[in-house]
């Protein structure tokens, strides 16, 4: 840790943004189930319906980090490389923000950003139709999942995806991809 890191500043930022959960590291299935259970308990106390939506969106974002981050660490327990990234859930007076961030190759980044923009451009009926089309589509070669996670998060939140990219300072072919979903209370 650098000398310029001030733990109180970090604590103060977390407190000001009412952070319910913050994690940086390997997003394994074991860790994911523990974090998700804790988050579900915290977020379901006031409104179980909101708690279920936060839980579902958190799982989708976590799976994206686990499967698609190019920064990997080998898990002995799962016997495979697992993605490394950041997960954050915070609360404001009228909404929650659920975010993930991970390293991604720039060659993939443009596709993800275009996909977010396309999904954000669809109205409810178009989104429902696109969701069904993607569910029925054949499995993509060498790609895990049904390719419906981003669509499902927009359907659950009724808000657009917020995709942001930050170039890696040392590796010009890589960027940090951050996806944030706002869930209104």
């Amino acid at each position: 840790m650098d000398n310029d890191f001030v733990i109180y500043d970090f604590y103060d930022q977390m407190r000001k943004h009412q952070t319910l959960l913050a994690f940086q590291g390997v997003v394994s299935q074991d860790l994911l189930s523990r974090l998700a259970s804790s988050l579900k308990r915290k977020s379901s106390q006031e409104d179980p319906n909101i708690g279920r939506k936060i839980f579902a969106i958190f799982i989708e974002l976590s799976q994206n980090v686990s499967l698609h981050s190019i920064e990997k660490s080998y898990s002995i327990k799962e016997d495979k490389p697992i993605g490394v990234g950041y997960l954050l859930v915070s609360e404001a007076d009228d909404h929650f923000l659920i975010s993930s961030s991970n390293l991604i190759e720039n060659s993939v980044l443009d596709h993800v950003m275009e996909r977010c923009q396309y999904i954000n451009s669809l109205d409810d009926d178009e989104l429902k139709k696109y969701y069904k089309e993607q569910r029925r589509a054949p499995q993509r070669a060498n790609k895990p999942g049904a390719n419906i996670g981003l669509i499902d998060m927009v359907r659950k939140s009724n808000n657009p995806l917020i995709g942001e990219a930050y170039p890696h300072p040392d590796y010009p072919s890589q960027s940090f991809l951050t996806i944030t979903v706002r869930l209104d209370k």
Side-chain angles (χ1 to χ4, degrees):
M1 187 179 319
D2 292 335
N3 289 336
D4 61 349
F5 181 81
V6 179
I7 191 74
Y8 179 77
D9 291 345
F10 179 70
Y11 166 81
D12 195 44
Q13 285 291 313
M14 301 269 285
R15 185 182 56 76
K16 283 180 183 171
H17 295 283
Q18 300 182 50
T19 303
L20 298 176
L21 183 147
F23 174 80
Q24 184 275 324
V26 178
V27 182
S28 67
Q29 287 298 322
D30 184 44
L31 175 80
L32 181 58
S33 65
R34 289 188 215 169
L35 291 177
S37 294
S38 172
L39 179 61
K40 192 173 185 179
R41 275 194 307 278
K42 287 180 186 177
S43 61
S44 295
Q45 291 173 349
E46 290 180 29
D47 183 342
N49 189 37
I50 290 288
R52 280 191 292 274
K53 288 181 179 180
I54 291 171
F55 177 77
I57 293 167
F58 177 79
I59 293 293
E60 287 294 343
L61 289 172
S62 300
Q63 288 176 337
N64 285 347
V65 171
S66 181
L67 296 173
H68 303 296
S69 176
I70 59 171
E71 184 179 6
K72 304 274 186 191
S73 182
Y74 189 80
S75 167
I76 295 171
K77 187 173 183 178
E78 296 183 31
D79 193 28
K80 63 182 181 182
I82 305 291
V84 174
Y86 301 85
L87 301 167
L88 181 70
V89 180
S90 62
E91 181 177 10
D93 291 340
D94 61 346
H95 66 274
F96 292 91
L97 292 176
I98 307 117
S99 302
S100 68
S101 186
N102 58 275
L103 269 176
I104 188 168
E105 292 287 347
N106 289 340
S107 60
V108 177
L109 176 66
D110 289 343
H111 171 72
V112 174
M113 297 302 272
E114 288 170 8
R115 187 165 162 78
C116 287
Q117 289 174 353
Y118 176 72
I119 290 169
N120 288 341
S121 74
L122 301 175
D123 66 26
D124 289 346
D125 291 337
E126 293 167 331
L127 201 57
K128 185 176 182 179
K129 181 181 174 190
Y130 187 54
Y131 179 85
K132 287 180 179 179
E133 288 171 4
Q134 292 297 302
R135 281 195 62 102
R136 292 184 192 128
Q139 181 74 33
R140 299 166 299 156
N142 301 321
K143 300 278 185 181
N147 206 23
I148 58 172
L150 295 175
I151 304 166
D152 203 31
M153 289 189 287
V154 170
R155 292 181 72 198
K156 283 189 170 44
S157 69
N158 293 316
N159 283 308
L161 300 165
I162 303 166
E164 299 170 293
Y166 304 93
H168 193 294
D170 300 324
Y171 301 100
S173 66
Q174 301 175 356
S175 293
F176 287 96
L177 170 65
T178 298
I179 303 280
T180 300
V181 179
R182 178 187 166 123
L183 182 62
D184 298 325
K185 290 185 177 177

